[in-house]
Amino acid sequence: MKQSKKYSQISERIKIVNNQQKNTKVQDVATLVYVVSFFCYLLASRIIPISYMLSGVVNTILSSAFAGIGAILILADLCTKRNLFQNKNSWLLILFIVAVGITSVINMKFGVTDNIKTIVWICIYMFIIYSLCTRFDSEKSKKLFKILISILSIVWFVCVIISIVQYCLQIGYLAPETETIMKRQGFYDNRLFGIFLDPNFAAVISMCIIFFSIHEYKTVKHIFMKVCYLVSAIVQYVYVILSGSRTVLICFFAGVVLWVALWVRNFCVQKQVSTKQWIYRELFSIVIVSLLFGGIYLGSREALSYLPLISGEQGKVNSTHAQEILKREDVKEDNMLNNRGTIWSEYVKSLEPKEYIIGLSPRNTIARLETRDPKGYVAKTQYTPHSDYVALLIYTGVVGCIIVLLFYFKTFIDILKKIGKKVELDSMYITSLVVAVSLIIYGIAFLDIYFSNTITAFLFWFAMSYIQKSNSQIYEQGNM
């Protein structure tokens, strides 16, 4: 009888384990479907013809659905595998969300609903997207990476081609983003907006695709696919130039320098060169790539300025002012930051001493400033801070800034430890690192990562997910 009871208990435990495995498998599949669908939704929101069709009630339904399902997936994870706690440095992100919650409560008299929505979206990025590579093993993570990048590259390639045709034909017009908001499209104000929401937002995605294409070019073996990725990179580079985005150009340069430095490091590790030779090769490579980058950019920009002439648009463009065709009229010597300096200083000066500690909350800031100074620059223009880092200070105060800086610092230390080990870095790790660093720099001039529901934020947190997963392997190997 005792032996029979023992076997019965073992059988029950096996059933429980099997049920748990089935549940986690269902969760993983649901998460994958959600992530891919959410990615496509964010992708569509950057393309004006599609975003207009999805505006209004449709967008409200879709947005609410993704927010609701995302919240359910987070709760389900909390009750089972708790992946959001397993990713490295995730405790800092939890602290950050707590800080956002506290400032939202303190400033709740100026609004509640929008701040709750923002907190939900922040949780989705930091707990679902950031934990993806912890949830899945390296191979599955790479497959998911390939699926998302393939979708992005194909859709963006088609959109960029259409936009370049608009530039060649010198087509510029206004199109509705919603029933009340009009957006510049085609070639407008000496910049290629194309069919995108904004040339800066579009250019930064094109930049990321260039790095992804280089990664895929190096990893695939089929000649046809190599050609496809090469063509994709070239087409995206053309858009980066025609977009006229100075910020993205700086990010792109920083990304290229970092990419070259990491691959030179891999070569030196492979060849087992001395530290002295390693440093010399790094410095030499950085100088050469800097000169090449500047020369290729200037040459490409000059050549592209004559593209409308070659395409037969002599009536709209002539050789006399072809060189001026890509010169931005909104950038002047006394306003090189394009009003950002005014926006940043206005926001910072508007804070009272006690508000520097915890901030004004993500979605109540403008309402708060309107009551304080109705005739102020921010109240009149309704401009957001136009910088992720200024927004961190304004929305969450010094507390939020310290948390994010500590998150970056700890990640940076882990990256240095990984780079310091004499083993080759895999291509996806290098690509993720380059994309993440480029987007961190991009955040200096744009509000597009921490408090925005965008595809840029998705790419950043997914790249960080792979970086942290790879960094954690340092400690796993050290404990073996």
Side-chain angles (χ1 to χ4, degrees):
M1 290 291 291
K2 288 183 179 179
Q3 193 172 12
S4 176
K5 187 176 181 181
K6 185 178 180 180
Y7 284 137
S8 177
Q9 289 174 343
I10 293 171
S11 177
E12 285 298 318
R13 288 177 184 174
I14 291 171
K15 286 181 181 179
I16 291 170
V17 170
N18 287 335
N19 287 333
Q20 287 176 340
Q21 289 178 341
K22 286 179 182 178
N23 289 337
T24 54
K25 189 174 181 180
V26 170
Q27 272 183 249
D28 289 347
V29 172
T31 302
L32 279 173
V33 172
Y34 173 82
V35 165
V36 174
S37 303
F38 184 47
F39 184 80
C40 293
Y41 166 72
L42 295 175
L43 177 57
S45 68
R46 290 295 202 193
I47 304 165
I48 286 292
I50 301 175
S51 66
Y52 177 67
M53 289 187 290
L54 298 178
S55 64
V57 177
V58 176
N59 184 60
T60 301
I61 293 171
L62 288 173
S63 179
S64 301
F66 280 115
I69 295 170
I72 291 169
L73 288 173
I74 292 171
L75 290 173
D77 184 65
L78 280 169
C79 296
T80 54
K81 295 172 71 174
R82 297 183 178 87
N83 285 290
L84 62 91
F85 296 120
Q86 294 174 24
N87 212 349
K88 194 163 178 57
N89 300 326
S90 59
W91 64 276
L92 286 167
L93 300 181
I94 294 170
L95 281 180
F96 178 74
I97 290 170
V98 170
V100 176
I102 291 171
T103 186
S104 297
V105 170
I106 292 172
N107 295 282
M108 65 186 301
K109 67 178 181 179
F110 293 96
V112 176
T113 306
D114 287 342
N115 274 330
I116 292 174
K117 289 178 182 177
T118 301
I119 292 171
V120 170
W121 288 121
I122 292 173
C123 288
I124 287 171
Y125 284 106
M126 294 185 174
F127 294 156
I128 295 181
I129 310 303
Y130 181 64
S131 69
L132 278 175
C133 293
T134 301
R135 179 182 293 273
F136 307 112
D137 58 37
S138 295
E139 286 305 310
K140 286 184 179 178
S141 298
K142 288 178 180 179
K143 285 180 181 178
L144 177 59
F145 176 90
K146 196 173 185 69
I147 289 170
L148 296 177
I149 297 312
S150 296
I151 294 170
L152 177 63
S153 299
I154 293 169
V155 173
W156 218 253
F157 181 84
V158 173
C159 293
V160 166
I161 288 293
I162 294 171
S163 301
I164 292 173
V165 170
Q166 290 177 326
Y167 168 70
C168 292
L169 301 178
Q170 294 292 283
I171 298 172
Y173 56 97
L174 294 175
E177 179 192 4
T178 63
E179 295 297 331
T180 57
I181 300 174
M182 301 295 287
K183 288 289 183 179
R184 290 170 287 184
Q185 295 283 271
F187 189 66
Y188 209 104
D189 292 338
N190 291 7
R191 302 183 69 184
L192 183 56
F193 287 75
I195 59 173
F196 301 109
L197 179 67
D198 179 271
N200 299 294
F201 298 161
V204 78
I205 300 301
S206 290
M207 177 198 70
C208 292
I209 293 173
I210 292 171
F211 292 129
F212 294 142
S213 297
I214 293 171
H215 161 74
E216 293 295 339
Y217 178 86
K218 289 180 68 66
T219 54
V220 299
K221 296 180 180 179
H222 201 286
I223 299 297
F224 175 74
M225 292 307 298
K226 282 184 177 291
V227 172
C228 288
Y229 287 119
L230 183 61
V231 171
S232 173
I234 293 170
V235 169
Q236 301 302 333
Y237 178 68
V238 169
Y239 184 82
V240 170
I241 296 173
L242 296 178
S243 70
S245 178
R246 297 167 299 161
T247 303
V248 173
L249 192 64
I250 293 169
C251 299
F252 189 32
F253 172 71
V256 169
V257 169
L258 178 60
W259 185 86
V260 170
L262 291 173
W263 279 108
V264 169
R265 177 238 175 240
N266 267 7
F267 176 81
C268 292
V269 168
Q270 188 180 23
K271 298 298 181 181
Q272 297 182 337
V273 302
S274 66
T275 303
K276 187 177 180 180
Q277 284 294 317
W278 184 348
I279 294 171
Y280 284 153
R281 288 171 190 245
E282 290 284 9
L283 292 174
F284 179 76
S285 300
I286 289 171
V287 171
I288 294 299
V289 77
S290 299
L291 294 173
L292 285 173
F293 185 92
I296 292 171
Y297 167 72
L298 292 174
S300 302
R301 191 172 185 273
E302 179 74 15
L304 289 171
S305 66
Y306 289 93
L307 195 56
L309 274 176
I310 298 170
S311 65
E313 291 301 306
Q314 290 91 348
K316 296 179 181 179
V317 180
N318 57 58
S319 57
T320 305
H321 74 276
Q323 294 181 350
E324 302 292 319
I325 195 173
L326 296 176
K327 185 176 180 181
R328 288 178 57 177
E329 299 292 337
D330 60 332
V331 177
K332 299 177 182 178
E333 289 185 8
D334 60 343
N335 188 22
M336 294 302 293
L337 293 175
N338 204 11
N339 295 325
R340 281 182 176 80
T342 305
I343 297 169
W344 297 341
S345 62
E346 181 83 8
Y347 266 104
V348 174
K349 286 189 297 184
S350 65
L351 290 179
E352 294 179 357
K354 62 181 181 180
E355 292 168 345
Y356 279 99
I357 299 173
I358 197 65
L360 298 174
S361 83
R363 294 292 177 259
N364 292 340
T365 301
I366 292 178
R368 184 73 176 266
L369 298 184
E370 280 178 328
T371 60
R372 189 171 297 167
D373 185 10
K375 296 182 180 180
Y377 185 75
V378 173
K380 285 182 178 179
T381 61
Q382 298 289 298
Y383 283 146
T384 60
H386 274 66
S387 169
D388 279 310
Y389 308 109
V390 174
L392 276 172
L393 176 63
I394 303 302
Y395 295 167
T396 63
V398 174
V399 172
C401 290
I402 290 174
I403 294 170
V404 171
L405 287 174
L406 188 56
F407 173 78
Y408 280 159
F409 176 74
K410 289 180 69 63
T411 304
F412 178 67
I413 295 300
D414 290 337
I415 291 169
L416 286 182
K417 288 179 180 178
K418 188 173 180 67
I419 291 174
K421 287 184 172 292
K422 292 186 177 181
V423 292
E424 290 187 52
L425 304 174
D426 72 84
S427 179
M428 186 171 167
Y429 182 81
I430 291 175
T431 304
S432 298
L433 194 54
V434 168
V435 168
V437 170
S438 299
L439 293 181
I440 286 170
I441 297 170
Y442 171 77
I444 295 172
F446 291 96
L447 181 61
D448 208 21
I449 295 177
Y450 296 108
F451 304 101
S452 301
N453 185 25
T454 65
I455 194 168
T456 313
F458 187 107
L459 292 175
F460 173 76
W461 288 109
F462 188 47
M464 289 298 293
S465 176
Y466 191 83
I467 290 167
Q468 297 287 30
K469 170 75 172 180
S470 299
N471 288 345
S472 64
Q473 292 171 355
I474 301 171
Y475 300 95
E476 291 172 7
Q477 290 169 358
N479 294 329
M480 289 177 64

